[in-house]
Amino acid sequence: MALAKVRAGRGEQLRRGWLVVASASLLAALALGAEISPLFVAAGWVLILLSLLLSPSLPIIEPPEPDTPPAPLPPPDPLGDVCRAYAALDMPVMVLGADVNVQFQNDAAQRAFGEIATDSHLSVRLRAPGILDMVRETIATGQPNQIEYSERHPSERVFLLRIAPIMAEAEGQAEAPYYALSFRDISELRRIDRMRSDFVANASHELRTPLASLRGFIETLQGPAKGDPGAHERFLGIMLDQANRMSRLVDDLLSLSRLELKAHIAPSQRVDLVPLIGHVRDSLLPLAQELGIEIRMHLPEGRVEVTGDRDELVQVIENLIENACKYGQEGKFVDVYLRNEPSQPVELSVVDRGPGIPAEHVPRLTERFYRVSVADSRSKKGTGLGLAIVKHILTRHRARLIITSELGKGTDFTVRF
Ligand code: ADP
């Protein structure tokens, strides 16, 4: 379409007219040698100035010039357009011909599956028979199809593969036989699904054991031990332990779920760690005495402030010192260090001299329900959730947990703020 041009407005034309008239008359008068009075020259210049200042400039639209032909459009390239659009996507996409040869792959596909030469068969890169069957079916029927496909190398990935014909129909041409093969990465979804179902299975298992034990004792008290006061006392004590175990588990599960809800909200209070550590030590003294452990404090002078949530930090320190007392009992001492060096991050370390943790377990200790020995943890009233809670709290506090352990020497849990 030819564009209409905007040219000088009527005001502009008027102004130019006044200028020409005034200048011409002045020049004519001078050329004729006329004696011009200064009043006349001044009037002329006033006219020129007025014409410049007062004439409004109104744009007028000129009709399009009839003789400029429109630029010719490039010939239609429907597949090229489709490929250019796919190139901009961040999900892997390949374009296949009816011979199952790859005609195009975008950068995301290249990153996910490596380079593949144009016009080579899809099976060069994806050999799974399920994929080829699905592609052939779509080519035969023209109907879209999808399957789930997982790869183990170089890392475990799960994709939802979908194939659909491309409607690349140019005007006056037959429909081009091309097919778009797209890959939706659902590895993360699958991982979360698996974690959720593992978690539910673990939590139910942990609750089922004390529940089964409670039911067993109730049945015994109702039946064989009905009139036996000695058995009553013994069994009721065990039942209380089991009920306490269940409530510890439920408390820990609730703590975890509350922490998950606020995982993305960083705390804003300033908390002095020195009195907090002292308070936790006092509350754990009875346990330490029962286990024959001495908790030794190595705290700097003055305040050591960090940004955090007081109650959550108490929980972290409590879980770490309690674990050190329980699992490092043989070492007799648990040392708590607080370091606040200039231009260094604040560090809190809880060090025991227990048997240590075999290296293969260390990276998994903060997983929910992960325990080096389930029996050992249960006998020490553990739920397997303590370090998972610690990790959640520290993540919210933008702090790190560093675990170092040496067999036969002990374990060091350091929190770096
Ligand atoms: P639990 O409730 O079983 O104590 P945690 O999540 O607190 O659960 O700890 C997970 C596991 O890590 C424990 O069962 C134990 O096997 C191991 N662990 C934790 N702290 C120590 C430690 N200081 N020394 C040796 N092992 C430890």
Side-chain angles (χ1 to χ4, degrees):
M1 191 184 78
L3 286 178
K5 278 191 192 158
V6 177
R7 66 171 166 81
R10 269 188 232 291
E12 183 65 18
Q13 285 174 331
L14 205 67
R15 179 166 45 198
R16 281 184 202 155
W18 277 108
L19 268 170
V20 171
V21 170
S23 315
S25 41
L26 267 176
L27 282 174
L30 285 171
L32 289 171
E35 238 183 53
I36 312 164
S37 82
L39 205 66
F40 184 75
V41 176
W45 284 115
V46 166
L47 269 177
I48 294 172
L49 274 174
L50 277 177
S51 70
L52 285 170
L53 291 171
L54 298 179
S55 316
S57 183
L58 302 171
I60 53 170
I61 313 288
E62 267 187 2
E65 285 168 24
D67 51 356
T68 48
L73 286 172
D77 174 17
L79 188 65
D81 287 344
V82 167
C83 293
R84 272 189 288 279
Y86 288 154
L89 294 180
D90 70 347
M91 90 189 275
V93 179
M94 293 178 184
V95 174
L96 309 178
D99 47 6
V100 200
N101 286 356
V102 178
Q103 299 304 320
F104 168 80
Q105 72 168 349
N106 65 3
D107 285 350
Q110 193 171 325
R111 277 197 301 276
F113 305 107
E115 195 141 358
I116 182 164
T118 306
D119 226 15
S120 43
H121 200 265
L122 178 67
S123 58
V124 171
R125 181 58 191 84
L126 297 168
R127 290 207 185 81
I131 298 180
L132 297 174
D133 289 349
M134 171 188 78
V135 170
R136 287 197 190 103
E137 194 185 317
T138 295
I139 292 172
T141 61
Q143 294 304 310
N145 266 312
Q146 67 178 37
I147 58 166
E148 207 174 289
Y149 163 69
S150 55
E151 281 199 332
R152 292 204 170 271
H153 299 287
S155 56
E156 196 174 338
R157 294 180 299 179
V158 187
F159 291 100
L160 198 64
L161 255 74
R162 183 174 194 274
I163 181 144
I166 300 175
M167 298 302 159
E169 194 178 357
E171 216 173 303
Q173 288 179 10
E175 199 170 284
Y178 290 110
Y179 302 87
L181 182 63
S182 56
F183 303 75
R184 185 141 60 91
D185 192 339
I186 53 168
S187 323
E188 190 58 18
L189 279 177
R190 287 284 175 275
R191 199 180 62 82
I192 293 170
D193 278 353
R194 207 172 37 236
M195 267 174 59
R196 195 173 295 139
S197 66
D198 283 357
F199 177 66
V200 172
N202 281 329
S204 331
H205 177 75
E206 291 296 324
L207 282 169
R208 201 184 297 132
T209 319
L211 263 178
S213 146
L214 273 178
R215 190 183 301 124
F217 283 118
I218 291 170
E219 281 165 6
T220 315
L221 288 175
Q222 284 173 334
K226 206 169 181 177
D228 179 350
H232 275 205
E233 195 160 329
R234 213 158 12 98
F235 292 166
L236 285 174
I238 302 172
M239 286 166 74
L240 183 64
D241 278 352
Q242 298 298 337
N244 285 339
R245 181 174 153 196
M246 281 198 295
S247 80
R248 273 198 306 274
L249 194 68
V250 171
D251 286 348
D252 280 357
L253 287 172
L254 285 174
S255 285
L256 264 180
S257 99
R258 267 197 298 270
L259 284 168
E260 268 179 353
L261 280 182
K262 50 181 178 177
H264 302 293
I265 312 163
S268 54
Q269 279 170 261
R270 293 294 288 168
V271 183
D272 182 4
L273 290 176
V274 176
L276 233 62
I277 296 172
H279 161 79
V280 173
R281 189 189 82 134
D282 292 347
S283 69
L284 289 175
L285 271 182
L287 173 80
Q289 273 161 6
E290 190 187 316
L291 296 171
I293 295 259
E294 186 188 339
I295 304 174
R296 300 188 297 201
M297 312 280 272
H298 310 269
L299 308 180
E301 292 288 314
R303 297 168 70 83
V304 179
E305 283 195 351
V306 293
T307 305
D309 180 301
R310 191 183 179 282
D311 292 345
E312 288 180 12
L313 290 176
V314 166
Q315 202 167 1
V316 167
I317 302 167
E318 203 171 72
N319 285 0
L320 293 182
I321 300 184
E322 192 181 322
N323 276 354
C325 294
K326 286 192 309 191
Y327 300 107
Q329 189 182 358
E330 300 152 33
K332 303 285 174 215
F333 295 107
V334 166
D335 290 290
V336 181
Y337 298 91
L338 184 61
R339 286 177 286 269
N340 186 22
E341 303 298 329
S343 67
Q344 294 287 322
V346 171
E347 277 188 355
L348 164 77
S349 299
V350 179
V351 184
D352 67 64
R353 289 139 193 265
I357 306 168
E360 66 272 22
H361 294 288
V362 172
R364 301 196 58 190
L365 290 181
T366 54
E367 287 176 23
R368 292 157 189 211
F369 296 115
Y370 192 85
R371 283 161 287 190
V372 176
S373 153
V374 176
D376 189 28
S377 156
R378 282 208 186 128
S379 71
K380 291 171 173 157
K381 299 191 175 155
T383 59
L385 293 173
L387 290 178
I389 291 174
V390 166
K391 191 186 159 201
H392 265 75
I393 294 177
L394 294 183
T395 307
R396 184 167 116 75
H397 281 70
R398 315 278 185 267
R400 279 179 64 202
L401 179 68
I402 302 150
I403 309 172
T404 42
S405 188
E406 213 177 318
L407 283 180
K409 291 212 166 153
T411 308
D412 174 336
F413 283 82
T414 292
V415 178
R416 188 171 291 159
F417 288 92

